[in-house]
Amino acid sequence: MTRIARVHARQIFDSRGRPTVEVDVLTGDGVLGRAAVPSGASTGSSEAWEMRDGTGEYAGLGVRTAVGHVNGEIARAVTGHDVREQAALDKLLIDLDGTEHLARLGANAILGVSLAACRAAADSLRTPLYRWVAELAGTAPGLPMPMVNILSGGLHAGRGMDVQDFLAVPASAASLDEAIEMAIRVRSAAADALAARGLPTLLADEGGLSPGLETGRVALELMVEAIERAGLTPGRDVVVAIDVAAHSLWDAAEGRYHLAREGRYADRAEMIEMIAGWTEDFPVASVEDALDEEDWQGWTLLTERLGDRINLIGDDLFTTDRRRLEQGVRLGAANGVLVKVNQNGTLSGTLDVIAAARAAGYVPVVSARSGETEDSFISDLAAGTGAGQIKIGSVRTSDRMAKYNQLVRIAEDPALGFAGMTGYPRLAAGLAP
Ligand SMILES: O=C(O)[C@@H](CO)OP(=O)(O)O
Ligand SMILES: [Mg+2]
């Protein structure tokens, strides 16, 4: 009996101590599928709409409303539905909501049910979750290469640095275990390098270090130093990925980007120039959200300039939305897409975006949010779809480690290969010495 017998949602708390939704889906055969919903800070405007909380007297209000929707209207609609019919369930949820961005019931309410049902189906079928995801997606499973947050800025670190993330990609790792170990070495070497300079080693939202360095170049120098301190060779053993999160730098009134830490503004051309300079002088393999989410023309120019050498990932640009991705493909904007389940709102919609990315030759990067829980669904999502890359955050806090550790468990399956650097098909030969 794989039909839904009961749905129950509750409010739990995420890694920032903010309320979020957790959903239990119980099937007739007594199987429990549970999922918790993540939440972003540097969000794109076109994301599915979560019912979010304010602070003070509004604390808990948005999430409690979403929880109420799951326990009332959604539970009534999905009870009796077969959890193995994921696509039909997700369509039912989208139709029930009836709005474009899932604003009526809340994308967090809908996503919680979608993911919990998927887990219940996998458990009822006694199939590992990643294998069930692979079956739903029609993909060959495989282990992703992680990109691991080392230095944080932007909205994840009190704007201590202008750029949001500097990440390590353990390029020469031959296995997932080795990749995680290398990233841990780089992160702890980065902490040592900062301490040696008398700089703070405070933790940011994703467990990365938040030293408040003044420019991107200084941060990149620190990355190179950390890789070397870890006994590894920059450009060969470890390459660097960056998430500029440029939407949160965009000053609409000025029509330019505000690099507040540097004390200057930059226009589109100056941003492209700055980033191109980084890729020339440092072993940078991937840059996410280099420009604002609505600067399609700028994205096309950026992609013409750098797209044959590095990965250019659209996060706020695409918001895991198929139509926005298709627009990007038409315009030649970016060559990769960040995949976040809660930007989309359902599992089926997310799988659809991964399939569309692949069909267009765009690299999919499955990603966590800056607000996370112990839920490790995205590890199974990345492995099940063989996405090739995953971005979880740093290797320092339990919300992130839950996902790395789930990947370690999945890696026990001898049938699964490790993606290595296959997710970086355009990597410049010049990166390695
Ligand atoms: O910008 C991002 O890629 C994510 C994760 O790092 O951040 P947030 O969840 O705050 O959008
Ligand atoms: Mg991003």
Side-chain angles (χ1 to χ4, degrees):
M1 261 302 283
T2 49
R3 295 193 179 277
I4 297 177
R6 189 161 177 250
V7 178
H8 176 70
R10 65 180 67 82
Q11 176 182 295
I12 61 164
F13 300 93
D14 72 11
S15 52
R16 280 191 278 248
R18 292 193 192 144
T20 191
V21 178
E22 180 173 82
V23 176
D24 291 353
V25 166
L26 275 143
T27 61
D29 51 5
V31 168
L32 165 69
R34 174 172 289 165
V37 178
S39 186
S42 64
T43 49
S45 312
S46 307
E47 296 191 15
W49 290 4
E50 56 182 352
M51 293 204 158
R52 214 182 165 116
D53 292 73
T55 51
E57 67 182 298
Y58 296 108
L61 215 61
V63 168
R64 288 210 187 280
T65 308
V67 164
H69 288 159
V70 176
N71 290 334
E73 196 174 336
I74 295 177
R76 282 196 295 279
V78 303
T79 300
H81 188 95
D82 191 330
V83 287
R84 293 172 305 181
E85 304 295 330
Q86 185 76 41
L89 173 70
D90 288 337
K91 182 170 184 322
L92 185 154
L93 291 166
I94 290 166
D95 291 348
L96 183 68
D97 179 89
T99 68
E100 197 189 344
H101 291 290
L102 308 180
R104 190 178 75 80
L105 296 169
N108 41 353
I110 288 171
L111 181 69
V113 176
S114 179
L115 299 184
C118 178
R119 262 221 181 87
D123 287 357
S124 308
L125 295 163
R126 295 181 169 51
T127 307
L129 182 57
Y130 64 93
R131 289 224 165 256
W132 177 237
V133 168
E135 208 165 314
L136 290 174
T139 43
L143 297 162
M145 169 62 92
M147 55 167 76
V148 181
N149 180 301
I150 305 293
L151 304 177
S152 295
L155 296 177
H156 297 169
R159 290 194 187 269
M161 299 193 296
D162 294 321
V163 169
Q164 184 176 282
D165 292 326
F166 292 90
L167 310 101
V169 180
S172 67
S175 67
L176 178 86
D177 281 0
E178 197 186 339
I180 297 173
E181 282 166 26
M182 284 169 70
I184 291 171
R185 278 165 61 191
V186 173
R187 191 197 177 286
S188 85
D192 292 347
L194 291 171
R197 294 184 192 187
L199 290 165
T201 53
L202 300 169
L203 290 201
D205 282 2
E206 299 188 9
L209 296 154
S210 171
L213 302 173
E214 42 306 342
T215 66
R217 277 189 173 268
V218 173
L220 286 164
E221 280 160 17
L222 198 286
M223 289 294 291
V224 166
E225 186 186 329
I227 295 164
E228 284 169 347
R229 254 183 189 258
L232 300 163
T233 305
R236 188 188 71 200
D237 295 322
V238 181
V239 294
V240 175
I242 297 171
D243 181 1
V244 180
H247 177 53
S248 46
L249 302 174
W250 181 247
D251 185 326
E254 273 281 330
R256 291 188 295 169
Y257 299 89
H258 190 199
L259 300 170
R261 185 74 179 80
E262 286 192 38
R264 66 180 175 106
Y265 286 90
D267 63 17
R268 172 207 281 164
E270 287 164 336
M271 288 292 278
I272 294 177
E273 218 39 65
M274 176 176 78
I275 287 154
W278 293 345
T279 66
E280 278 149 29
D281 299 338
F282 298 95
V284 174
S286 175
V287 181
E288 177 184 329
D289 280 358
L291 294 170
D292 184 62
E293 60 183 24
E294 292 306 335
D295 187 7
W296 293 98
Q297 204 187 350
W299 272 94
T300 303
L301 291 170
L302 174 78
T303 310
E304 280 165 6
R305 175 90 182 261
L306 298 174
D308 59 345
R309 293 199 285 128
I310 61 166
N311 285 357
L312 294 166
I313 309 292
D315 170 14
D316 294 343
L317 179 70
F318 295 135
T319 57
T320 320
D321 178 280
R322 180 153 186 173
R323 273 166 304 172
R324 288 187 69 92
L325 175 61
E326 282 166 354
Q327 182 171 350
V329 171
R330 266 199 310 280
L331 297 172
N335 56 29
V337 55
L338 210 72
V339 177
K340 292 167 165 170
V341 281
N342 81 319
Q343 283 184 332
N344 183 283
T346 67
L347 175 62
S348 303
T350 306
L351 297 179
D352 194 36
V353 168
I354 295 174
R358 280 226 169 86
Y362 276 44
V363 175
V365 182
V366 171
S367 173
R369 298 309 305 246
S370 51
E372 275 291 340
T373 66
E374 62 272 32
D375 190 302
S376 57
F377 195 100
I378 62 160
S379 303
D380 289 81
L381 175 65
T385 57
Q389 291 189 59
I390 192 166
K391 183 176 91 163
I392 292 173
S394 205
V395 275
R396 180 60 174 72
T397 57
S398 308
D399 51 325
R400 314 285 148 183
M401 294 319 296
K403 295 158 184 66
Y404 287 111
N405 289 337
Q406 176 64 4
L407 286 174
V408 169
R409 289 178 206 111
I410 295 171
E412 289 179 343
D413 182 339
L416 265 56
F418 174 54
M421 291 303 280
T422 52
Y424 295 83
R426 307 163 188 89
L427 195 59
L431 270 186

